[in-house]
Amino acid sequence: MQMLSRVLDLPPENLIKSISAVPISRKEEVADFQLSVDSLLGNNDYSRPDIQVQATQLAEKLKCDTVVTEISTGQGTVNFKINRELLTKTVLKQVIEDGSKYGLKSELFSGLPQKKIVVEFSSPNVAKKFHVGHLRSTIIGNFIANLKEALGHQVTRINYLGDWGMQFGLLGTGFQLFGYEEKLQSNPLQHLFEVYVQVNKEASEDKSVAKSAHEFFQRLELGDMQALALWQKFRDLSVEEYIRIYKRLGVHFDEYSGESFYREKSQEVLKLLDSKGLLQKTMKGTAVVDLSGNGDPSSVCTVMRSDGTSLYATRDLAAAIDRMDKYNFDTMIYVTDKGQKKHFQQVFQMLQIMGYDWAKRCQHVPFGVVQGMKTRRGDVTFLEDVLNEIRLRMLQNMASIKTTKELENPQETAERVGLAALIIQDFRGLLLSDYQFSWDRVFQSRGDTGVFLQYTHARLHSLEETFGCGYLNDFNTACLQEPQSVSILQHLLRFDEVLYRSSQDLQPRHIVSYLLTLSHLAAVAHRTLPIKQSPPEVAGARLHLFRAVRSVLANGMKLLGITPVCRM
């Protein structure tokens, strides 16, 4: 770095983003770092051959020294090979010293201001199905919150429940007709869902049921004590149940809020819109906001029903304003499926025209749709069904594999490995892509799956257990010069860049493919670099290497929301 900054006459911090670790290649042994001449010059009007000349000239000015043993040029890059022993010592020392912070202390993140970030995710509807979209929102939101937290930001995780609206009119009426108190206490989500399905059916056939549902919701909106008490019971029991299920997923929230909290505040929002002359009444008696300013029907957003009750959009406006008051956030991220893209565009736009300049700090992270997730009992109704199915199938898989050791808690292991499988399948592609879910593919133990990651972690853990850590005080770097070792070290070098990419675009796939490659490299090294029959010095050095791999593997898995297992 010093040498480069001298030759180029640039401060070292200007070089950080232009230098990157070289991705490992199966075909040849590659250099360790490359300097991109293009990004260094910063202006892209150079023609390609010219870049090549620049790279060659720069390479000629640089000298090898005790650190850099070889300098060459690639396409528009200058490549550096680092003294092998120094590379080994530095990387392993760094991984072991930094522990769970490895990669996060990189210069790529230096000078990163600490921000207050609100992430709203999961957000199921009480009494309606907890469908697969909510599952995606839950694991993606958890990943984003984990990543932001790891980078030192102050993160607030909010679960914004669908706990208000016309469905509660139906539910209140339905419970009075078909509800059972003991069923509600023993399995609230299931029972409320059954009642909801039944009352919907009745309401479509019998006008008086629909009418009393409407009246019940109006009573709720007006604050009728009896109606509210019943609603509160539905909500409390549901939240309790959710907390228990999220715990199985390894997910927690700092706040359970919901549309209900904003029923009064959404009236204030309507008054505010009105005072700014933005509310328009329609013939039907509803109130709308015209976002185009010229009556374009595609950009009209309805904010009030004809009977004066609030809508989803109104409550979202009230919630955003309230959170700004409460948390004074630098960024607020909403994680929902891409079907809500327009809704959020409109909400952010309305905040902007209401004069809230911080609307620019709100961001929607959309994701695609999953098709075909069914359990053996049929369609997925609740998250719990998915978790039980994962555990069941994983236990059967583990039972069929002969190498499975006797586990103290096979249920828990099955759940953790199964969740890893689910998360990795979900995170492998772009979040926006739709995909076809397949149980068989999720649970393959060979290939690029979560099962393979967990298996690798457990195997490396058992090496440490078997050979103990007595070796791990000091080690001889000269013992780690085989190509398999060097590949692993070069790959470990890149971890910070991968974290950086994910922090820029909030896509977990960079981390996923990095961890899968790391596991493949570890599998090759495990076969070719034995510890058992090796001289103590060699065995010690190899153990060091494997311990570093396990540590980075565990760090990456935890960011993704996976709990690494030590036996399977």
Side-chain angles (χ1 to χ4, degrees), residues 67-132:
V67 177
V68 177
T69 55
E70 204 177 287
I71 298 172
S72 58
T73 56
Q75 288 187 311
T77 61
V78 180
N79 302 337
F80 304 95
K81 196 169 166 182
I82 304 294
N83 170 330
R84 286 286 162 254
E85 294 200 18
L86 185 72
L87 177 80
T88 310
K89 200 177 187 82
T90 317
V91 173
L92 292 186
K93 198 168 152 229
Q94 200 83 53
V95 171
I96 284 159
E97 271 180 16
D98 289 353
S100 62
K101 288 267 174 266
Y102 177 68
L104 297 161
K105 288 185 166 180
S106 155
E107 296 111 325
L108 286 173
F109 299 113
S110 65
L112 192 72
Q114 306 303 291
K115 299 262 170 92
K116 291 188 194 134
I117 296 173
V118 170
V119 187
E120 178 196 301
F121 64 105
S122 196
S123 309
N125 291 308
V126 175
K128 290 185 183 173
K129 280 187 177 188
F130 186 109
H131 59 73
V132 189

Side-chain angles (χ1 to χ4, degrees), residues 54 78 210 269 358 453 463 492 521:
Q54 298 258 356
V78 180
V269 167
W358 49 261
L453 286 187
L463 277 182
L492 293 176
L521 291 172

Side-chain angles (χ1 to χ4, degrees), residues 163-319:
D163 63 356
W164 201 249
M166 200 45 222
Q167 79 226 46
F168 283 92
L170 283 159
L171 206 54
T173 299
F175 193 75
Q176 287 161 348
L177 292 170
F178 325 108
Y180 292 99
E181 188 60 40
E182 55 279 11
K183 277 189 180 176
L184 180 67
Q185 295 293 338
S186 67
N187 195 341
L189 296 176
Q190 186 69 41
H191 187 50
L192 288 175
F193 178 63
E194 285 161 4
V195 167
Y196 186 65
V197 170
Q198 199 174 351
V199 72
N200 262 309
K201 193 167 157 288
E202 294 286 323
S204 64
E205 289 159 14
D206 181 347
K207 285 281 175 282
S208 68
V209 173
K211 187 167 177 285
S212 63
H214 202 92
E215 283 163 3
F216 191 93
F217 183 52
Q218 271 193 300
R219 278 168 55 203
L220 274 178
E221 284 257 299
L222 293 168
D224 175 85
M225 295 311 278
Q226 220 174 348
L228 276 174
L230 187 60
W231 166 84
Q232 188 73 47
K233 184 154 67 174
F234 294 161
R235 188 186 192 281
D236 292 348
L237 288 166
S238 298
V239 169
E240 234 170 87
E241 188 84 340
Y242 280 134
I243 289 174
R244 186 178 63 75
I245 299 169
Y246 286 126
K247 199 169 173 184
R248 278 178 71 178
L249 261 177
V251 171
H252 72 278
F253 292 92
D254 299 303
E255 181 185 301
Y256 280 81
S257 89
E259 297 185 56
S260 59
F261 292 130
Y262 300 108
R263 57 180 192 272
E264 280 152 27
K265 291 196 165 115
S266 59
Q267 295 302 321
E268 289 165 31
V269 167
L270 291 170
K271 285 192 191 113
L272 191 60
L273 283 166
D274 201 18
S275 71
K276 290 186 182 286
L278 298 166
L279 263 199
Q280 301 173 3
K281 284 276 170 45
T282 64
M283 300 293 280
K284 293 185 216 149
T286 59
V288 299
V289 175
D290 172 16
L291 292 166
S292 65
N294 58 16
D296 173 5
S298 69
S299 60
V300 168
C301 183
T302 308
V303 289
M304 186 181 83
R305 286 197 188 85
S306 54
D307 62 3
T309 55
S310 61
L311 277 98
Y312 184 53
T314 338
R315 296 192 282 268
D316 258 352
L317 289 170

Side-chain angles (χ1 to χ4, degrees), residues 397-405:
N397 273 22
M398 282 160 51
S400 68
I401 301 168
K402 294 290 169 277
T403 56
T404 302
K405 300 188 179 70

